[in-house]
Amino acid sequence: MQRELSQRFVDVAPDVRLWVESRGPADAPPLLLVMGAQASGLGWPEELVELLAAHHRVIRYDHRDTGRSTWSFDRKPYALPELAEDAVAVLDALGVERAHVVGMSLGGMLAQLLLADHPDRLLSATLIGAGALSTRPYAGPDGELTPVGELPGVDPRLVALWSEPAEERDLEAELDRRVEHWRLLSGGLIPFDAEAARELERRIVRHTGHHATSTAHARASTAGMERTGELAVNRVPTLVVAAPAEPVYPPPHAAHLAQVIGAARLVTIPGMGHALPREVHGPLAAAILEHTTAAVR
């Protein structure tokens, strides 16, 4: 199969363009990577993308207000569900009828919107580090029901970091902040590689062309994202990744997510938090590829 590596811009709304990259065999099954809030598509590590691209045409892109895509929120606010429609627009622009979708964090929530609203466009879904778009309570191993609002919350250290007022910083100070963010997101079970995190962020800054940080996704409306009924009857093969060190959606959020989505199963990646360090690339890629292969049999 012939390999490709291409970049382009896709118009998804009036005056809104998204940067899109496609790599891997041109005739392989497409796999769309959807990153989290405030995160460029380059947040998907190169090693992980390459592992997936050995078997798929891997597509990743910058959300609005990240990377090289249009930073539009301040002049024309949007709601978070519109970002799910952007993912559909990316598939349309690349001529992809159906794709495997892998969503991380907010991307995992957008993937749930795709499962609910556009199941005909998905071959499979993989959800990483996401909360459920459902009001259904969590059923514990003993059968006890826990309301969604009573499940464990975000690590207070992250809440404190996110609550700091936005301010202009020089490049090195901004990189310091981002590295500390990754340290907290990593969860602490896998040794944290500060230099690798800093180099990733340097690449993202070079890609973006500046080191400003947008707060658009934190300010965007979350109205209309609940999909309890639609997710319960889902028939798209769905893999939910459980991360023992997850600090944003701590256990048992992943188990809850697998409960509320029909046709879902759970897999645990040892040591993983809310980040993608080198140590999880192999196990995570293997789990995704096993899932995508089984989904099209």
Side-chain angles (χ1 to χ4, degrees):
M1 292 186 287
Q2 184 178 0
R3 298 276 299 225
E4 68 166 28
L5 174 59
S6 63
Q7 299 179 17
R8 60 178 290 187
F9 286 92
V10 169
D11 294 313
V12 297
D15 300 319
V16 177
R17 312 187 86 187
L18 304 186
W19 173 85
V20 180
E21 177 195 86
S22 179
R23 74 170 73 181
D27 54 351
L31 186 151
L32 180 69
L33 298 175
V34 186
M35 240 302 148
Q38 318 301 156
S40 159
L42 266 65
W44 295 102
E46 290 294 309
E47 179 182 343
L48 177 61
V49 174
E50 282 296 312
L51 289 170
L52 298 174
H55 303 274
H56 288 284
R57 177 191 179 192
V58 177
I59 302 160
R60 62 177 174 174
Y61 66 99
D62 291 340
H63 292 297
R64 305 183 194 196
D65 291 275
T66 74
R68 294 182 185 172
S69 294
T70 304
W71 290 46
S72 60
F73 188 86
D74 287 338
R75 58 181 170 78
K76 190 175 181 181
Y78 48 82
L80 287 181
E82 292 181 59
L83 299 182
E85 298 304 316
D86 286 353
V88 176
V90 169
L91 296 180
D92 288 343
L94 272 59
V96 175
E97 289 188 16
R98 300 178 71 199
H100 301 281
V101 174
V102 179
M104 173 84 184
S105 194
L106 173 64
M109 295 181 181
L110 300 180
Q112 291 175 65
L113 292 177
L114 297 178
L115 286 171
D117 302 341
H118 301 282
D120 57 314
R121 304 302 300 271
L122 272 59
L123 293 168
S124 76
T126 299
L127 312 178
I128 306 168
L133 301 183
S134 172
T135 57
R136 176 179 166 182
Y138 167 65
D142 58 359
E144 182 177 354
L145 299 181
T146 303
V148 176
E150 295 180 14
L151 292 177
V154 180
D155 186 320
R157 296 172 298 172
L158 279 167
V159 175
L161 185 64
W162 295 342
S163 299
E164 293 178 359
E167 59 183 45
E168 291 188 13
R169 302 176 179 88
D170 64 31
L171 175 58
E172 294 306 316
E174 175 60 19
L175 291 173
D176 288 343
R177 186 193 69 81
R178 296 187 188 188
V179 170
E180 174 62 11
H181 189 216
W182 281 120
R183 185 183 70 80
L184 295 176
L185 290 174
S186 71
L189 290 184
I190 292 173
F192 179 61
D193 188 338
E195 286 305 312
R198 199 174 195 88
E199 180 53 34
L200 170 64
E201 290 299 335
R202 286 192 187 277
R203 289 186 61 248
I204 291 172
V205 168
R206 291 194 294 269
H207 168 76
T208 304
H210 58 79
H211 65 274
T213 298
S214 171
T215 59
H217 299 165
R219 292 180 286 148
S221 172
T222 60
M225 292 185 71
E226 190 266 325
R227 293 290 189 279
T228 300
E230 295 91 337
L231 293 175
V233 298
N234 171 65
R235 290 297 175 263
V236 176
T238 300
L239 180 68
V240 177
V241 174
E246 171 65 59
V248 179
Y249 292 101
H253 276 278
H256 175 238
L257 184 55
Q259 288 177 0
V260 305
I261 300 177
R265 65 184 183 89
L266 192 67
V267 64
T268 298
I269 303 299
M272 188 172 174
H274 197 83
L276 300 171
R278 182 173 292 107
E279 290 84 350
V280 308
H281 295 172
L284 182 59
I288 293 170
L289 293 172
E290 179 184 8
H291 177 60
T292 58
T293 299
V296 295
R297 283 176 182 163

